[in-house]
Amino acid sequence: MIEVKGPRLNNTNTEKFGAVYASDKRLDITVLPPMSRLSVSFHDIPQIMSCGEVCSTDAVITNIGPCPISKLKLAVSDPSHVYMETKAASLPKKHVCVLSEEETADSKIINRITLLTLENGSLNSGESIQAKLWLHAPLSPGAFDVELLFYYESTGLVGKKKYRLLRHHSCIYLERSLSLKVSSTVSQNLQESLKEAEDVPGSCSYTTNLLVEVINNSEVDSTCSSYTIAGLSCNSKNWAAVPHSSLQGQTLKVGPWPGESCHLCVKCVQHLNAAPNRLVLSQLLFNDLQDPLNSWWRFSLRERITVRDLLADPLPPNPAADHTPPPPKQDQLDAAHILACNTLDMVVTAVWKGERGGREIWGQHSIHLMCVGDSISFPVSSLVQAGEEEKPPVRIIPETPLQLTPAAIPPASKQKHMVKVSAHFPDSMDHDFVTNRLCCLEFELYLHNCSACHLNTFLNLAPEGLPGSTAGLSSQMYTPQASTQLLYVGGTVRKVCLSPWGSSKVPVRVMITSPGTYSLGVISLTSLRVNASQDKSEQPIPQICQLQTAVTVRQTLRPHGSHNT
């Protein structure tokens, strides 16, 4: 027998002069009413996976207790690479589609807890539900810990003791597979924006090019060393990848030896997304391989989520959250328009197929590009790491003073793609130079504003210092003179006002004195915001305008024996 004595009481005089002790209930047993009990069994969780591999495991969730389960939640350690679903979700069979609110929700996860759906809102005693546990191996080799925590409540219980917990932990070894490098470049090509509905009017927009390089980063003794690129997927709010006819029906393989690579170039066009809170998903399939993973695209969306670290301190309250900000100024609006013009916000996913132990495996590598012009590679190839040069020492004192107050307007490097130029001209023409020594070629330049700012554009058809220009010949005394066989006539310097997302047509006339092939794209283009023109606080920003304008002028064939008098 165990006898315990409670704490001595010393509050009143009677308690002080006498040995009075409180009752002790620490050994009393508290009997609770019956509770539910959960059992979760997994069919087969792999022990070895390749980096980026995607696999699914069948799970059976059973209530083996005497009481029904009213609420079932699941918390995972890494929602970007682990999630469980009770109902399969497949994609529509379309090249470009706008995801629904429910499908886009995968990109907006802010915590690690998911509410699992139960039929009729409860799971009775002895009943079970089927679920799938999806695993996406991270891109870094090593140990991959899968930690699951099930939370469930019993029906009819109240208070703090109405729930129970069930934990699961698995450790998977990851071996090297592939490296993915994606670069985005601005294209000079103009194309009509993609639109979901036929009655929505389209608008002319500029395009970007995605340069994708897939490198074999596996070890020599890896269990899977040969890969096939099955397709490419992109999800963004305002961009979509365009299929290319030369990629259809091809088999893109990455060699079995480390360091071998495969290169792709894909064009992206702006999409007129009417719902900014939804994502545009584009899919490019390169061959007839049927991907058995019907939920792979959900991991592509989960590349966007940012879950706070479990050990991180909570965010402090923001005192200005309830404060109504003043209306933005014109410079602030222009800055937002310029940033929107350079924003890509696209997750590029390469879907691949491999083989391990005679079994087909599937995987994907994803990279999130935020701005046009970004270039990201992850993970870095081991061959590249071996040849890296030593990095320079860290400077404690910076060379340039820090800018305490950020500028309202983005730098000039973010404004050099705001105006696009395209030309409409004949590829070739015939002219009789014997009869008329001057050949007049007329064509049109189209200037397109790719931003929501009001711009003043300055077009110079014969800029100084560029090859092929005829301006400033008198200053070139000791250098070879530029050819005078091509001469722009009329106004060589034009000022064009462009409205937001507007276009303007500029007629151009060129005089040619002899047959040959000429380039008409030697032009200079600068732009300046209208608001900056009024304040005189900024200088015109040079725009990148590279035109492929080659025109061939041929001598007209004259009849034999004809003479010019």
Side-chain angles (χ1 to χ4, degrees), residues 529-550:
R529 296 180 301 111
V530 174
N531 188 45
S533 303
Q534 297 173 357
D535 298 340
K536 298 182 179 180
S537 58
E538 299 179 25
Q539 297 296 326
I541 306 299
Q543 302 295 305
I544 296 180
C545 49
Q546 300 174 354
L547 295 178
Q548 302 297 329
T549 54

Side-chain angles (χ1 to χ4, degrees), residues 20 54 69 107 148 174 204 239 241 254 311 315 317 355 377 399 422 447 506 508 559:
V20 180
V54 178
I69 293 177
S107 64
L148 307 177
L174 303 182
C204 191
W239 291 88
V254 182
L311 302 178
L315 297 177
E355 185 176 344
S377 177
E399 297 180 354
S422 62
L447 306 183
V506 180
V508 180

Side-chain angles (χ1 to χ4, degrees), residues 107-336:
S107 64
K108 301 177 181 180
I109 299 174
I110 58 176
N111 54 41
R112 296 172 170 83
I113 301 175
T114 305
L115 180 62
L116 299 180
T117 305
L118 299 177
E119 294 185 4
N120 301 324
S122 63
L123 185 64
N124 297 323
S125 177
E127 293 182 351
S128 62
I129 58 175
Q130 304 290 330
K132 275 189 177 294
L133 178 67
W134 286 91
L135 304 176
H136 179 213
L139 302 186
S140 299
F144 175 35
D145 292 325
V146 180
E147 296 176 297
L148 307 177
L149 177 62
F150 293 90
Y151 168 95
Y152 56 97
E153 297 180 0
S154 300
T155 304
L157 296 181
V158 295
K160 296 183 179 179
K161 299 179 182 179
K162 66 178 181 179
Y163 69 90
R164 306 183 84 173
L165 300 177
L166 178 64
R167 293 176 174 89
H168 172 82
H169 175 263
S170 296
C171 186
I172 304 175
Y173 175 74
L174 303 182
E175 58 182 10
R176 298 180 183 273
S177 58
L178 297 173
S179 294
L180 181 64
K181 180 179 180 181
V182 182
S183 305
S184 64
T185 59
V186 180
S187 174
Q188 198 66 26
N189 183 28
L190 291 172
Q191 185 171 333
E192 185 178 353
S193 301
L194 300 177
K195 49 187 181 295
E196 185 177 10
E198 296 295 336
D199 54 349
V200 177
S203 62
C204 191
S205 63
Y206 69 101
T207 62
T208 61
N209 295 326
L210 289 181
L211 307 179
V212 182
E213 181 181 4
V214 184
I215 307 172
N216 191 341
N217 196 28
S218 61
E219 303 290 345
V220 178
D221 56 349
S222 177
T223 59
C224 181
S225 58
S226 182
Y227 304 92
T228 301
I229 308 302
L232 200 71
S233 172
C234 302
N235 66 79
S236 176
K237 292 183 178 180
N238 298 308
W239 291 88
V242 179
H244 199 279
S245 58
S246 61
L247 295 177
Q248 302 297 326
Q250 290 193 6
T251 302
L252 305 179
K253 291 188 176 182
V254 182
W257 304 108
E260 297 186 333
S261 61
C262 173
H263 296 258
L264 301 172
C265 182
V266 180
K267 182 174 67 174
C268 296
V269 182
Q270 288 180 327
H271 189 281
L272 297 178
N273 186 9
N277 56 342
R278 297 164 62 180
L279 292 175
V280 179
L281 183 68
S282 51
Q283 309 172 71
L284 305 178
L285 298 179
F286 300 148
N287 45 40
D288 297 333
L289 296 177
Q290 297 296 328
D291 188 355
L293 306 178
N294 56 351
S295 295
W296 64 267
W297 55 275
R298 300 186 65 172
F299 286 117
S300 179
L301 300 182
R302 288 170 179 255
E303 292 288 334
R304 297 178 170 272
I305 65 177
T306 54
V307 182
R308 189 168 56 90
D309 190 6
L310 289 174
L311 302 178
D313 296 331
L315 297 177
N318 186 9
D322 299 333
H323 175 68
T324 303
K329 299 180 180 179
Q330 186 61 39
D331 287 346
Q332 295 175 342
L333 294 176
D334 289 347

Side-chain angles (χ1 to χ4, degrees), residues 378-390:
F378 190 84
V380 180
S381 174
S382 58
L383 300 179
V384 177
Q385 291 178 347
E388 283 185 348
E389 298 180 357
E390 185 178 356

Side-chain angles (χ1 to χ4, degrees), residues 354-377:
E355 185 176 344
R356 181 191 300 119
R359 185 174 60 90
E360 188 179 81
I361 63 174
W362 290 82
Q364 65 184 53
H365 280 53
S366 300
I367 283 182
H368 193 179
L369 296 179
M370 292 301 301
C371 299
V372 177
D374 286 354
S375 179
I376 301 178
S377 177

Side-chain angles (χ1 to χ4, degrees), residues 324-464:
T324 303
K329 299 180 180 179
Q330 186 61 39
D331 287 346
Q332 295 175 342
L333 294 176
D334 289 347
H337 295 331
I338 295 173
L339 292 178
C341 181
N342 291 270
T343 299
L344 188 61
D345 192 14
M346 173 179 288
V347 176
V348 182
T349 302
V351 182
W352 51 267
K353 187 192 76 167
E355 185 176 344
R356 181 191 300 119
R359 185 174 60 90
E360 188 179 81
I361 63 174
W362 290 82
Q364 65 184 53
H365 280 53
S366 300
I367 283 182
H368 193 179
L369 296 179
M370 292 301 301
C371 299
V372 177
D374 286 354
S375 179
I376 301 178
S377 177
F378 190 84
V380 180
S381 174
S382 58
L383 300 179
V384 177
Q385 291 178 347
E388 283 185 348
E389 298 180 357
E390 185 178 356
K391 297 182 179 180
V394 178
R395 292 185 177 272
I396 301 177
I397 302 177
E399 297 180 354
T400 57
L402 297 176
Q403 189 176 3
L404 299 180
T405 57
I409 301 300
S413 60
K414 297 292 185 181
Q415 305 182 44
K416 59 184 180 180
H417 300 292
M418 298 178 65
V419 180
K420 297 299 176 184
V421 184
S422 62
H424 293 261
F425 60 93
D427 297 335
S428 61
M429 61 180 302
D430 297 332
H431 181 76
D432 189 359
F433 289 94
V434 178
T435 305
N436 187 357
R437 297 292 298 175
L438 294 178
C439 174
C440 180
L441 173 60
E442 297 181 356
F443 64 97
E444 293 176 339
L445 289 178
Y446 286 88
L447 306 183
H448 177 71
N449 185 1
C450 299
S451 68
C453 301
H454 291 268
L455 299 178
N456 288 331
T457 305
F458 304 93
L459 176 65
N460 191 350
L461 300 175
E464 297 184 7

